[in-house]
Amino acid sequence: MEVTLLGTGDTTGTPTPRCDCETCERAREEDVERTRFSVHVRNEQTDQSLLIDASPDFRRQFRREDVPLPDAAVITHVHFDHLDGLGNAYRLLDHLPVHAADEHDPNLGESVAEHVDSRYHYLDQVTVNPETPFERFEAAGFEVTLVPGVHPPLSTYGLRIDEPETGASLAISGDTSYAFPQESRDVLRGADLGIVEGIVHADLCEGHPAGGDHYDADGVPRTFGTKHMTLTGARALAEDLDVDNYRIVHTAHFVPASQAFADDVALDGERFEL
């Protein structure tokens, strides 16, 4: 299993356009990026590729990393920075099975799968496959399991990817607060690599209208507002999941430069052989 982090940033990415903060300036100086979130997973046994979330930066990411175009995709939730790149299937792909959760979301009025299907109904290349959380399904030769996260007001999902022949495994939290359910944690636990979401440093909770939540023993918030983890929360979740290695993703440029480039905070283009 070869894992490539195509996009490791939040909604605006780093460097953010027209931003002269220290973090964005340092990213420009070092020629590094955090584009909108996406992960490419290549099955070396079947020579197929699975795309986790379709970033609006799809074209740039695939050209830059020179990885194969996907044979299948999983969409974790319907926010634009995880979904809007799906339109790139037009003219690039002959067929793309897209897997998404089948649970009805009362705030959305439909499931993630139904939303993707209705939004991209005009793309003959896209076939949506509704999947039930906690039930394994096959995609690109992998065994995949969706698990619920906590990202109000919308439903969102993490996932585990297993390569049956080699036993390699990847866990992705998806966008979530630290209230990530215990049943979901149990599915992700013990993977070779964990990709966990951490949007900002904990001090920034003081300026959020909802503050922070899920404080650790030292009083540091592990949730920023209500729907994202802090860096502290991401590290705590990675520890609880007992993964062999982890990277923090979906990180915003609001993190000070002194923390934004820590070894465990991912940058685009990182690649792992599992």
Side-chain angles (χ1 to χ4, degrees), residues 38 61 69 92 98 152 172 176 222:
S38 189
Q61 292 170 348
L69 289 169
L92 287 181
V98 176
I172 301 176
T176 184
R222 291 174 287 197

Side-chain angles (χ1 to χ4, degrees), residues 34-245:
R34 292 189 175 114
T35 56
R36 273 73 68 89
F37 179 78
S38 189
V39 177
H40 183 277
V41 190
R42 181 171 170 264
N43 188 327
E44 295 169 303
Q45 306 303 309
T46 64
D47 197 28
Q48 293 176 289
S49 297
L50 179 63
L51 182 67
I52 311 305
D53 284 341
S55 168
D57 299 308
F58 183 108
R59 179 180 179 276
R60 172 167 174 74
Q61 292 170 348
F62 274 85
R63 289 189 69 247
R64 184 190 62 202
E65 302 308 329
D66 194 28
V67 290
L69 289 169
D71 296 286
V74 176
I75 299 298
T76 63
H77 65 295
V78 303
H79 281 151
F80 92 99
D81 52 327
H82 296 256
L83 175 60
D84 278 12
L86 198 55
N88 286 274
Y90 180 63
R91 290 187 179 175
L92 287 181
L93 303 170
D94 294 328
H95 180 227
L96 184 68
V98 176
H99 304 267
D102 64 0
E103 290 183 319
H104 181 78
D105 181 344
N107 287 290
L108 187 62
E110 56 190 352
S111 69
V112 175
E114 289 170 330
H115 182 85
V116 175
D117 194 31
S118 61
R119 184 164 180 173
Y120 290 98
H121 66 90
Y122 63 91
L123 288 178
D124 293 337
Q125 296 88 346
V126 170
T127 302
V128 177
N129 297 279
E131 306 293 353
T132 302
F134 298 113
E135 294 185 6
R136 283 191 174 193
F137 60 91
E138 188 276 335
F142 294 113
E143 294 179 349
V144 183
T145 309
L146 289 170
V147 296
V150 177
H151 192 58
L154 297 178
S155 295
T156 188
Y157 299 86
L159 63 155
R160 181 183 177 109
I161 302 171
D162 290 284
E163 205 295 298
E165 288 194 32
T166 65
S169 55
L170 171 66
I172 301 176
S173 73
D175 286 12
T176 184
S177 79
Y178 191 71
F180 198 66
Q182 187 62 51
E183 189 176 4
S184 297
R185 294 177 185 232
D186 291 342
V187 172
L188 302 192
R189 187 165 285 113
D192 297 313
L193 177 65
I195 307 299
V196 292
E197 190 252 16
I199 195 165
V200 295
H201 59 301
D203 292 347
L204 207 62
C205 292
E206 296 178 8
H208 194 290
D213 203 354
H214 307 112
Y215 295 84
D216 66 14
D218 296 319
V220 179
R222 291 174 287 197
T223 292
F224 173 68
T226 61
K227 59 184 183 178
H228 291 282
M229 286 189 288
T230 62
L231 298 183
T232 300
R235 290 174 177 129
L237 180 62
E239 181 177 3
D240 182 58
L241 295 180
D242 193 28
V243 291
D244 290 347
N245 191 12

